[in-house]
Amino acid sequence: MNTDKALRDLSLLAARLTLGASIAAHGSQKMFGAFGGPGIEGVSQGFSSMGFEPGERYARAASMAEIGSGTLIALGALGPVGPAMLISVMITAIETAHRPKGFWAANGGYELNVMYMLGALLLATEGYGSLSVDALLGIHKKTNATLGWLALAGGAVAAAIILGQRNMPQQQSSQQRQKTTEKNEVETRATAS
């Protein structure tokens, strides 16, 4: 037995189980209130406040995507499908909840999202290793880095589509209306002078 290959497979297994279990648990917090999470009602309200209506539909979709992608990654199943789903969820989360807060997770930023995305990138392009469902079924022979990149690009496109369905949150709309009103008042005063 090749020691390097065995150690690589163990490393991939550890990475898959950690990443997959973490993101599946995160989805379970949203969907079921597990692990101290808010549950679907709380998450639905959050999605509504971010401009996703109906909030419950988007909350359930995000929760299921996290649980599904995490499960596929942990099992090492269906090649880059799980990582692509994870990329889609993380891009959407960064844009709607974390980007305005900067990079660092301590401030509510997107640091952890980037780490999840990098793990997804690695698994999508390098494969799951011999200790996976894909290897057991022979699917791993049909996947490669190009397919991984294409799947991740599909995940990014899916995120763009989801973000395109978002209505501008009320808070931002009222702030923009206030800025427009202030700008009009300044222009009116300048014209009157």
Side-chain angles (χ1 to χ4, degrees):
M1 179 175 198
N2 182 339
T3 304
D4 285 342
K5 183 180 180 323
L7 291 174
R8 178 182 180 273
D9 287 337
L10 285 173
S11 297
L12 286 169
L13 176 63
R16 281 193 355 251
L17 291 175
T18 302
L19 177 64
S22 294
I23 198 65
H26 192 70
S28 295
Q29 288 177 312
K30 288 181 174 135
M31 182 69 85
F32 308 114
F35 312 110
I40 201 66
E41 285 185 29
V43 175
S44 297
Q45 291 171 4
F47 271 76
S48 290
S49 72
M50 290 185 290
F52 291 103
E53 291 294 344
E56 184 175 349
R57 179 178 70 190
Y58 284 95
R60 286 188 186 282
S63 301
M64 289 187 305
E66 289 175 352
I67 293 167
S69 66
T71 302
L72 289 174
I73 289 169
L75 293 173
L78 297 182
V81 173
M85 291 168 61
L86 179 55
I87 289 286
S88 179
V89 171
M90 289 300 110
I91 290 172
T92 305
I94 287 171
E95 184 58 31
T96 57
H98 301 289
R99 188 176 53 82
K101 298 172 185 170
F103 180 73
W104 302 111
N107 300 323
Y110 53 92
E111 174 186 9
L112 184 58
N113 305 88
V114 170
M115 295 299 115
Y116 279 140
M117 290 170 62
L118 287 174
L121 168 67
L122 204 70
L123 292 170
T125 58
E126 290 299 315
Y128 292 135
S130 300
L131 304 174
S132 66
V133 169
D134 280 1
L136 181 68
L137 299 176
I139 294 172
H140 70 293
K141 295 176 184 174
K142 298 176 182 175
T143 60
N144 56 42
T146 302
L147 182 62
W149 278 103
L150 289 172
L152 296 177
V157 168
I161 291 169
I162 292 164
L163 289 167
Q165 296 172 359
R166 179 180 178 212
N167 297 318
M168 189 176 295
Q170 294 298 322
Q171 181 181 9
Q172 288 180 354
S173 297
S174 63
Q175 287 173 349
Q176 285 185 335
R177 281 193 300 270
Q178 183 179 358
K179 286 180 183 177
T180 303
T181 303
E182 290 171 1
K183 180 181 174 185
N184 289 341
E185 289 174 3
V186 169
E187 289 174 358
T188 302
R189 279 186 246 143
T191 306
S193 300

